[in-house]
């Protein structure tokens, strides 16, 4: 007997991470994917919403695995970043964060999340600066996590922007953030005052993660210095702690500057663990290489080689209109496109891989695979894209026609339809 559905999607092209897509109908009921078949019977009662997708892609939602919502939408406050460097960005943010209020953080974060959701992002990991004595950014984002939970899954990382040991109170602020409920422990070893402090900070981060049973996501070697060596410390800690897939190394731009002999050694070590990598190509192509003359480095980690070796790599926006990056819209196809260009991943399977880095791979990084995907019985989180495959989605920066979160249609956008007017 056919049942009734809340939403029925007809003739959509269902994406699979590593197999060809297939044209199917998808039925949604009670917040879950109720049925997937090449042709579903007409239900006894019409579905509340029914769409003929005419071959558009049905994809799991985009995953934004690395962003800073606490600083989003503050570009130009109190001044613009004229040098375009990471370090001027940190200085400007240090001034801006003096005037943070809970309302300010919440308002900007929710506005950004809505902007992202309307473009198909339903899972977000945000860093929250915890090197500010009142933990306003963290408290604001933890409140937001709860306020948006009916349409967006948000993870919050306790991120010590000024270093775990950059200030005497920062270490205890980090721990306080975990007690308040941060999902992951962050770090910035390359910005600690000394190399020794950097190493010590990584050890402390792992200690806290084990003690409080949290994930790890460290801003690691986000610098052009080919001598930055904190990724090896993260790998060693991941191997020794057996935390593997619960650990993420973000940015790792120095990996792009290492000599090949050292890089190949690290690649070998990586085979003993399964840590995740997050590259942020939009921002790192602009932030890095600022002290280079010519040739200028691309400033992005070895995405292609990590992917070829089978490491989990996902992609993030990092910033949307903040002191580090005044551009950005939250569109993950923009991120995937930049990765395809900067990392020279333009082969067909490589372009598909870039798409997977903003979907399935991001879910793996966030450790949410049990609630993510298009299988029957999973929560009905999915998007419809006005494209016939991943390549076209990235090439044309396709419109996300429908966004369905937890079984509810939360946003729709009409694809542009330009008209030729000259006869
Ligand atoms: Fe970041």
């Amino acid at each position: 007997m056919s049942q009734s559905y809340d939403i029925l999607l007809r003739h959509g092209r269902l994406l699979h991470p590593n197999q060809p897509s297939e044209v199917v109908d998808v039925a949604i009921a009670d917040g879950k994917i109720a049925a997937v078949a090449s042709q579903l019977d007409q239900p006894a009662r019409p579905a509340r919403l029914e769409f003929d997708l005419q071959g558009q892609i049905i994809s799991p939602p985009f995953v934004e695995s690395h962003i800073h919502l606490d600083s989003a939408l503050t570009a130009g406050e109190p001044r613009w970043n004229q040098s375009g460097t990471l370090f001027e960005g940190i200085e400007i943010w240090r001034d801006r964060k003096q005037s943070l209020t809970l309302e300010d953080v919440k308002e900007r974060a929710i506005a950004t999340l809505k902007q992202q959701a309307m473009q198909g992002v339903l899972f977000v990991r945000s860093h929250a600066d915890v090197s500010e004595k009142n933990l306003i950014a963290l408290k604001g984002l933890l409140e937001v996590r709860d306020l948006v939970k009916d349409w967006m899954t948000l993870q919050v990382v306790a991120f010590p922007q000024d270093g775990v040991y950059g200030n005497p109170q920062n270490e205890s602020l980090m721990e306080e953030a975990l007690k308040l409920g941060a999902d992951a422990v962050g770090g910035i070893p390359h910005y600690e005052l000394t190399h020794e402090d950097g190493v010590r900070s990584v050890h402390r981060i792992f200690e806290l993660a084990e003690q409080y049973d949290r994930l790890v996501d460290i801003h690691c070697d986000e610098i052009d210095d080919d001598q930055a060596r904190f990724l090896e410390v993260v790998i060693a800690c991941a191997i020794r702690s057996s935390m593997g897939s619960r650990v993420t190394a973000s940015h790792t731009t120095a990996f792009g500057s290492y000599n090949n002999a050292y890089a190949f050694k690290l690649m070998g070590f990586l085979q003993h663990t399964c840590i995740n990598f997050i590259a942020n190509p939009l921002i790192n192509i602009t932030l890095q290489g600022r002290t280079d003359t010519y040739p200028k480095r691309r400033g992005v980690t070895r995405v292609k080689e990590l992917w070829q070796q089978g490491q989990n790599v996902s992609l993030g926006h990092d910033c949307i209109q903040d002191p580090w990056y005044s551009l950005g819209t939250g569109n993950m196809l923009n991120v995937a496109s930049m990765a395809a260009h900067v990392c020279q991943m333009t082969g067909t399977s490589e372009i598909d891989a870039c798409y997977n880095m903003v979907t399935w791979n991001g879910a793996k990084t966030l450790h949410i695979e049990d609630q993510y995907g298009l299988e029957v019985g999973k929560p009905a989180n999915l998007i419809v894209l006005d494209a016939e495959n991943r390549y076209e989605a990235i090439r044309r920066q396709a419109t996300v026609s429908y966004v369905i979160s937890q079984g509810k249609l939360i946003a729709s956008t009409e694809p542009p339809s330009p008209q030729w007017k000259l006869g």
Side-chain angles (χ1 to χ4, degrees):
M1 191 178 76
S2 55
Q3 59 179 108
S4 65
Y5 303 125
D6 298 321
I7 302 176
L8 187 50
L9 303 174
R10 296 282 196 193
H11 315 118
R13 211 175 287 277
L14 194 77
L15 287 187
H16 298 286
N18 299 307
Q19 293 147 27
S21 59
E22 46 178 343
V23 176
V24 296
D25 296 342
V26 174
I28 292 165
D30 301 325
K32 294 204 158 43
I33 296 177
V36 176
S38 56
Q39 190 173 7
L40 287 171
D41 291 342
Q42 200 58 35
R45 274 185 293 125
R48 286 200 289 129
L49 290 171
E50 181 168 336
F51 301 107
D52 181 356
L53 302 184
Q54 299 180 325
Q56 292 183 90
I57 289 174
I58 299 175
S59 168
F62 294 128
V63 179
E64 171 55 87
S65 50
H66 187 119
I67 195 165
H68 297 254
L69 289 173
D70 53 355
S71 56
L73 313 185
T74 64
E77 302 172 9
R79 61 188 182 279
W80 294 91
N81 185 337
Q82 299 296 347
S83 68
T85 60
L86 173 76
F87 302 109
E88 186 175 347
I90 293 175
E91 293 301 321
I92 295 170
W93 175 241
R94 193 170 289 149
D95 292 342
R96 176 60 175 83
K97 72 188 179 192
Q98 305 309 318
S99 62
L100 282 185
T101 63
L102 275 179
E103 278 319 304
D104 169 37
V105 172
K106 283 159 56 181
E107 215 171 278
R108 286 183 291 99
I110 290 174
T112 309
L113 288 167
K114 280 186 183 164
Q115 195 176 317
Q116 293 172 294
M118 286 192 283
Q119 298 177 91
V121 179
L122 293 180
F123 297 90
V124 171
R125 174 179 285 178
S126 174
H127 295 256
D129 184 357
V130 295
S131 51
E132 171 272 311
K133 66 179 185 323
N134 298 312
L135 292 177
I136 302 285
L138 178 96
K139 288 174 185 167
L141 291 188
L142 291 180
E143 274 190 49
V144 169
R145 183 178 68 184
D146 195 48
L147 289 168
V148 302
K149 68 176 186 319
D150 291 340
W151 50 274
M152 173 73 82
T153 299
L154 175 62
Q155 287 184 352
V156 180
V157 185
F159 171 54
Q161 175 73 74
D162 299 332
V164 179
Y165 302 112
N167 194 309
Q169 80 236 16
N170 286 6
E171 188 180 0
S172 56
L173 284 168
M174 280 259 291
E175 187 158 6
E176 179 63 18
L178 299 177
K179 288 179 183 160
L180 288 170
D183 301 283
V185 197
I188 186 164
H190 56 280
Y191 194 62
E192 298 287 350
L193 286 167
T194 64
H195 178 79
E196 289 70 22
D197 282 357
V199 172
R200 192 155 67 102
S201 76
V202 174
H203 287 290
R204 183 67 183 134
I205 289 159
F206 273 81
E207 220 171 72
L208 287 168
E210 288 195 288
Q211 185 183 342
Y212 289 89
D213 190 25
R214 304 297 155 85
L215 303 168
V216 168
D217 189 337
I218 299 176
H219 281 64
C220 191
D221 300 329
E222 187 186 7
I223 190 165
D224 291 321
D225 177 8
D226 61 357
Q227 301 297 311
R229 290 289 191 265
F230 298 108
L231 177 57
E232 69 177 23
V233 184
V234 170
I235 294 170
C237 287
I239 291 171
R240 290 179 184 143
S241 67
S242 306
M243 283 188 68
S245 64
R246 293 173 63 79
V247 175
T248 296
S250 278
H251 294 286
T252 63
T253 58
F255 206 169
S257 292
Y258 294 155
N259 65 73
N260 280 341
Y262 178 65
F264 290 164
K265 183 184 86 167
L266 274 191
M267 284 293 199
F269 288 171
L270 281 169
Q271 290 176 350
H272 302 294
T273 182
C274 45
I275 69 168
N276 310 292
F277 283 83
I278 301 175
N280 300 291
L282 283 175
I283 182 163
N284 285 128
I285 191 71
T286 61
L287 276 184
Q288 310 309 131
R290 290 279 178 166
T291 56
D292 291 357
T293 53
Y294 288 93
K296 279 186 191 291
R297 283 169 286 178
R298 289 168 190 245
V300 178
T301 195
R302 301 191 183 209
V303 170
K304 189 196 268 197
E305 292 73 14
L306 290 165
W307 166 69
Q308 285 170 335
Q309 185 170 289
Q311 303 294 143
N312 186 53
V313 183
S314 58
L315 304 172
H317 230 91
D318 201 14
C319 300
I320 297 179
Q321 293 183 283
D322 75 6
W324 294 273
Y325 185 64
S326 58
L327 304 166
T329 62
N331 182 340
M332 296 310 292
L333 290 173
N334 194 2
V335 181
S337 174
M338 184 56 81
H341 287 81
V342 176
C343 309
Q344 298 187 326
M345 294 186 65
T346 48
T348 49
S349 64
E350 293 169 347
I351 289 178
D352 284 356
C354 290
Y355 187 94
N356 291 0
M357 288 177 193
V358 294
T359 48
W360 286 279
N361 295 16
K364 205 167 170 188
T365 301
L366 266 59
H367 238 253
I368 49 160
E369 288 162 293
D370 55 331
Q371 37 175 317
Y372 186 88
L374 300 173
E375 297 82 19
V376 172
K378 287 270 176 79
N381 296 308
L382 56 88
I383 59 177
V384 174
L385 282 147
D386 181 37
E388 53 273 33
N389 53 42
R390 281 171 265 216
Y391 157 66
E392 283 295 333
I394 290 178
R395 187 185 75 81
R396 293 196 284 104
Q397 301 284 282
T399 301
V400 178
S401 313
Y402 300 109
V403 182
I404 295 172
S405 175
Q406 300 172 32
K408 291 189 287 290
L409 180 68
I410 64 162
S412 67
T413 305
E414 282 289 322
S417 170
Q419 308 290 315
W420 181 253
K421 297 293 187 188
L422 284 184

